[in-house]
Structures are given as structure tokens and as C-alpha cells.
Amino acid sequence: MAKILIVEARFYDHLNDLLIEGAAAALEEAGHKYEVATVPGALEIPGAIALAAESGRYDGFVAIGVVIRGETYHFEVVSNESARGLMALSMDAIPIGNGILTVENEAQALTRARRTEKDKGGEAAKAAIAMLALRERFGA
């Protein structure tokens, strides 16, 4: 049984609730324990995961958040840099599932967040579990 930390950027409460519901269900179904930590925005997720990874208290991580395109370039910065930060951490053998949605509008986010539709929170949790299994397989 692994202990997974879900790190959420709680900006859109109702969308995050759906994503966390999916992630929690997938983790529980696989027999893993989890905790949730909240950060101000998607850009803070990689930093929070890095801090938690250094603590040694968690075996893997699930990143949860929603970035909806607005009228400025900020969408690209947040989307690209949060993904880049997570990828950099994963290259250090930290098992991470990326459940940060980057969408054009709320309707797209709802479709991706609902467990009855795309269940991206559940998929992110399953990705973290898969990466944890690979780390254990390769002895990293």
C-alpha cells in the first residue's frame, strides 16, 4: 500500500471537487492511502510536490488543477510552466500523475473532470500508480 499526496490548485472549487473525487476513487480502488494538500495556483503545484518529495512521507503524487484560457498570455505561461515543472520532477524518478486540465472553457473542463465522462482525476491517479510501480520495478 502506497501513500499518495494529491496536490491541488484550488481555483475552481466545483471542478477540483470532481477531479479529486476521481483521483480518490482510483487510489482507494487500488488500495492506496492519500492526503490532499492545497496550493494557490497551478504554478505552485510542482514546488509543493518537490517539498513533499523531500520529506520522504509520500510514495507518489497526483497534480490536480484547472487552467481555463482567458484573454491574456497568462494561460500559456501557467499551462506550460506547470507541465514543465512536473516533467522536471518526473525526470528525478518522482512518480507523478498530471491531472491539471488546460482547457478553453468550463464545459470542456466539466467533461474532463466528471467520473462519468473522461475522469481525468482518476486517470492522473492511475498514472501515478503506474509510475510508482515502474520505479519499484527498476529499483529507483
Side-chain angles (χ1 to χ4, degrees):
M1 174 188 336
K3 187 169 185 184
I4 307 295
L5 181 65
I6 299 171
V7 179
E8 66 154 342
R10 192 144 191 96
F11 198 79
Y12 300 99
D13 291 345
H14 63 297
L15 298 171
N16 273 41
D17 287 345
L18 292 170
L19 289 166
I20 290 173
E21 178 185 324
L27 293 170
E28 289 169 0
E29 183 178 303
H32 301 299
K33 292 184 178 184
Y34 70 92
E35 291 180 15
V36 178
T38 303
V39 297
L43 286 174
E44 289 77 32
I45 292 174
I49 290 174
L51 291 169
E54 284 186 19
S55 78
R57 293 175 39 202
Y58 304 98
D59 301 302
F61 303 89
V62 179
I64 295 290
V66 179
V67 184
I68 298 177
R69 184 181 299 279
E71 297 177 3
T72 68
Y73 181 68
H74 186 66
F75 170 86
E76 283 82 5
V77 171
V78 173
S79 299
N80 292 337
E81 292 303 309
S82 61
R84 185 198 57 77
L86 294 176
M87 184 57 67
L89 292 169
S90 71
M91 297 301 289
D92 289 332
I94 297 173
I96 301 172
N98 185 352
I100 301 175
L101 304 182
T102 53
V103 296
E104 298 291 327
N105 53 54
E106 185 176 348
Q108 288 180 352
L110 282 167
T111 297
R112 286 158 179 75
R114 289 185 185 119
R115 288 182 64 202
T116 56
E117 294 183 60
K118 298 207 181 253
D119 191 22
K120 294 299 182 179
E123 286 185 14
K126 290 174 185 174
I129 293 166
M131 295 306 293
L132 179 59
L134 278 176
R135 185 177 74 180
E136 291 171 358
R137 175 180 171 190
F138 297 134

